[in-house]
Amino acid sequence: MKREIIQTQDGSTTIHLMDWNECYHSKFGAIQEAQHVFIKNGLSLFENKTISILEIGFGTGLNAFITFLESKKMHQTIDYFGVEAFPITADEVLSMNYVSELNAETEGAVFEEMHQCNWEEQIVLRKDFLFTKRKQFFVDIDDLEKYDLIYFDAFGYTVQPELWSTAIFQKMYNALKINGILVTYAARGVVKRSMKEVGFTVEKLDGPPGKREMFRARKE
């Protein structure tokens, strides 16, 4: 599949899959989307806590890197798991401008380590931030009551509807602890119905720039 690096409207980069006309992040602003969906409406609910996070779609590493930066400000201890079936290339990693756009030059080595570290091996990025990458298809996730927070950042429903199925959300529900939260940029009716079918309580929130709405789901 043909791929290209593009600049989004907030100045940050993303990867555009040309055959699908699908991007890893919002063309209206990759960093703005991550901050709004996953930090503001997810991570910030757990300030001053120790939590475990599962990211569905590690991709460019943007969500993980922003979480690393923001969790220090929120006095959190994080055990982070990023699942990805098709890792991006080393050249693509070097083309991402997140370190400079986030004014995080002092932490640039952390972003590189997230991509260069071994799969299936836990590393210590900071004394309060453990990190593990898992090379895995989402359908093969079988964790049980392990996570406090899930970042659901799969490719869009229009190109990969199977990733938004009831079967996948059942796996997400099973993986969360009681009172755990799942946040996603999506806001389709079919997605909401799948979430509710497996037991989630679903809340519709204002979306990031360029998108009217998003979902936050809770396991009660």
Side-chain angles (χ1 to χ4, degrees):
M1 187 176 296
K2 294 180 181 179
R3 303 154 70 92
E4 63 178 348
I5 308 300
I6 65 169
Q7 186 176 76
T8 67
Q9 288 185 16
D10 67 2
S12 57
T13 51
T14 192
I15 299 171
H16 178 222
L17 304 178
M18 299 165 71
D19 295 344
W20 283 356
N21 192 27
E22 178 78 359
C23 290
Y24 276 64
H25 307 286
S26 171
K27 290 186 285 188
F28 294 96
I31 287 176
Q32 287 181 357
E33 178 188 48
Q35 290 280 13
H36 181 88
V37 175
F38 302 112
I39 305 304
K40 178 183 177 182
N41 289 302
L43 187 68
S44 68
L45 303 181
F46 299 91
E47 195 165 356
N48 300 308
K49 293 184 178 180
T50 296
I51 63 168
S52 181
I53 299 174
L54 173 65
E55 181 182 9
I56 300 300
F58 174 70
T60 65
L62 173 59
N63 298 329
F65 188 55
I66 291 182
T67 299
F68 176 83
L69 299 176
E70 295 296 325
S71 64
K72 185 174 183 179
K73 302 174 189 176
M74 297 184 199
H75 309 288
Q76 294 163 318
T77 297
I78 305 290
D79 194 2
Y80 197 101
F81 296 81
V83 175
E84 179 60 56
F86 301 100
I88 69 173
T89 68
D91 285 344
E92 287 171 333
V93 172
L94 293 174
S95 297
M96 297 300 105
N97 66 355
Y98 305 140
V99 173
S100 59
E101 287 296 311
L102 289 164
N103 297 312
E105 284 80 1
T106 59
E107 305 289 1
V110 170
F111 181 71
E112 293 177 8
E113 180 66 10
M114 286 178 168
H115 286 281
Q116 293 172 359
C117 67
N118 294 330
W119 294 88
E120 324 300 336
E121 182 178 308
Q122 186 182 75
I123 62 171
V124 180
L125 293 177
R126 198 172 58 217
K127 65 179 181 179
D128 56 1
F129 200 103
L130 303 179
F131 177 78
T132 307
K133 285 189 307 188
R134 287 163 38 182
K135 193 173 182 181
Q136 184 179 34
F137 290 105
F138 303 157
V139 70
D140 295 327
I141 294 171
D142 58 3
D143 301 306
L144 295 176
E145 297 187 355
K146 183 173 181 177
Y147 306 104
D148 301 281
L149 177 60
I150 293 176
Y151 295 166
F152 199 88
D153 200 17
F155 286 130
Y157 182 88
T158 55
V159 296
Q160 288 195 301
E162 69 276 11
L163 301 183
W164 302 86
S165 66
T166 300
I168 293 294
F169 283 116
Q170 184 66 68
K171 290 180 174 291
M172 299 301 101
Y173 188 87
N174 295 344
L176 280 171
K177 301 175 186 177
I178 298 297
N179 294 319
I181 296 289
L182 179 150
V183 284
T184 182
Y185 64 86
R188 282 177 172 262
V190 65
V191 172
K192 183 178 182 179
R193 288 191 291 275
S194 291
M195 288 177 168
K196 294 182 74 171
E197 185 176 339
V198 304
F200 279 116
T201 299
V202 184
E203 182 180 7
K204 187 179 289 184
L205 305 172
D206 291 338
K211 191 168 180 63
R212 192 159 56 94
E213 297 167 332
M214 60 164 282
F215 287 148
R216 180 166 63 201
R218 183 185 298 269
K219 178 179 180 177
E220 297 181 331

